[in-house]
Amino acid sequence: MFLFYGIFLSTRETRQSPGVRSILLIPDLERILQPVIPYLNTSSVGSGLGTGQVHPAIQALGVKYAKGVITGGHSRCLAFVNAMEEVFGDFVMTVGATSPETDSFGLDCQEAELGIFAIILTTLDSAVFVVREQDMNNAQQIHRELSKVLNRCVQFVVECRPLSVSMGNFVRYLKEQIAHLPLVLSLPEARKLILEAIDLFREKRLLLPVKEIAAIGSKLIGHGEKIVVYAYSEVVLNLLKQARNLGTDFLVIVIDSR
């Protein structure tokens, strides 16, 4: 028995999942809270893509990197960000009863017997939310699987061509976002948070800086000036286009190492 905010909690073995304890405040608590908290129905999870597989978007991107179809640090990073957005957008967790022997993402019985974990949030209208420890285990599995998918994609891309500086920053950013996902969440929530983080990185780290650099740098070029650039840079190209759109006449000299 546990006493929490004056409420007595008791435990019992569930018929659906033998050996897994659940916390009950009132009879049929799960049935009553089911419309409010869908993730109270805990189950084993697995990757819809399958272990060890690489998303087709990453495979196609790697080929383009290897053939030199996509060049330039900014362009390569933007393409990688778009591909990873497609990867996590298609990421699926399969719900079903599995065993540790047949599914690496299944719940271990020992994990289920670790004890009871409850988070009770009481609102003004006396609504009570209860989360079982098994929900925490499922969330941890989602964290691990997302990290595995990211690592597989990065490994494949690196084998095609080493990461640029901005791509490395994006990978570290994604790992940090995955690591800081809430401890209790469902798959749709995890997918939504990751996709929002990817979109934020693209806007704040890739698209917006290019626009700002072009807007500021284009005003520094005067009429009749000679601009010397080395190799190819999409950021510099956008800057020069912006300057030309402003009506500035200038000469561009391109120096390439090849």
Side-chain angles (χ1 to χ4, degrees):
M1 284 277 188
F2 298 89
L3 179 61
F4 192 85
Y5 287 116
I7 301 176
F8 285 95
L9 308 181
S10 61
T11 63
R12 63 175 176 83
E13 299 291 324
T14 61
R15 296 180 181 179
Q16 294 82 358
S17 303
V20 179
R21 298 177 179 178
S22 62
I23 297 178
L24 298 179
L25 289 177
I26 57 178
D28 298 328
L29 175 66
E30 291 176 309
R31 178 179 58 81
I32 296 174
L33 294 183
Q34 176 62 28
V36 182
I37 312 178
Y39 54 76
L40 274 176
N41 277 347
T42 57
S43 59
S44 302
V45 293
S47 173
L49 292 176
T51 305
Q53 296 184 9
V54 178
H55 194 279
I58 296 298
Q59 296 181 14
L61 182 64
V63 173
K64 293 180 180 179
Y65 284 163
K67 292 183 177 181
V69 176
I70 302 178
T71 58
H74 181 267
S75 299
R76 289 169 55 202
C77 183
L78 183 59
F80 183 56
V81 169
N82 294 336
M84 290 306 303
E85 183 179 38
E86 186 175 348
V87 170
F88 287 112
D90 294 339
F91 186 75
V92 178
M93 307 298 285
T94 304
V95 179
T98 55
S99 62
E101 293 80 6
T102 59
D103 192 334
S104 60
F105 312 124
L107 287 176
D108 194 333
C109 293
Q110 293 181 354
E111 293 180 350
E113 295 175 355
L114 288 177
I116 303 172
F117 181 89
I119 300 176
I120 303 180
L121 302 176
T122 306
T123 61
L124 295 177
D125 57 353
S126 300
V128 179
F129 298 88
V130 178
V131 180
R132 296 182 299 180
E133 183 188 15
Q134 189 173 349
D135 296 303
M136 297 283 292
N137 293 335
N138 282 348
Q140 291 173 359
Q141 289 177 346
I142 293 176
H143 285 69
R144 289 194 296 266
E145 188 61 18
L146 288 173
S147 298
K148 290 179 181 178
V149 170
L150 174 60
N151 291 334
R152 286 199 298 265
C153 292
V154 172
Q155 181 179 3
F156 182 86
V157 170
V158 170
E159 291 176 355
C160 298
R161 184 173 178 178
L163 300 179
S164 64
V165 175
S166 56
M167 292 172 66
N169 293 336
F170 175 64
V171 171
R172 286 189 291 271
Y173 171 82
L174 267 186
K175 289 183 177 180
E176 181 179 356
Q177 295 300 316
I178 294 176
H180 288 84
L181 286 175
L183 295 179
V184 178
L185 79 167
S186 63
L187 175 62
E189 293 171 338
R191 187 190 298 113
K192 180 176 180 292
L193 291 175
I194 293 298
L195 293 179
E196 289 177 352
I198 292 176
D199 185 65
L200 181 63
F201 183 92
R202 179 172 48 226
E203 291 295 329
K204 298 294 185 180
R205 303 285 188 89
L206 296 178
L207 301 182
L208 183 60
V210 172
K211 295 179 181 179
E212 292 295 328
I213 292 174
I216 297 175
S218 60
K219 298 178 181 180
L220 300 178
I221 301 177
H223 289 280
E225 291 187 346
K226 297 180 177 61
I227 310 299
V228 179
V229 298
Y230 178 82
Y232 170 81
S233 170
E234 184 176 354
V235 177
V236 175
L237 180 60
N238 289 333
L239 187 155
L240 298 176
K241 288 181 177 180
Q242 181 71 15
R244 189 66 187 90
N245 292 336
L246 294 176
T248 306
D249 293 326
F250 55 91
L251 176 66
V252 177
I253 302 174
V254 180
I255 302 176
D256 197 289
S257 60
R258 297 179 183 178

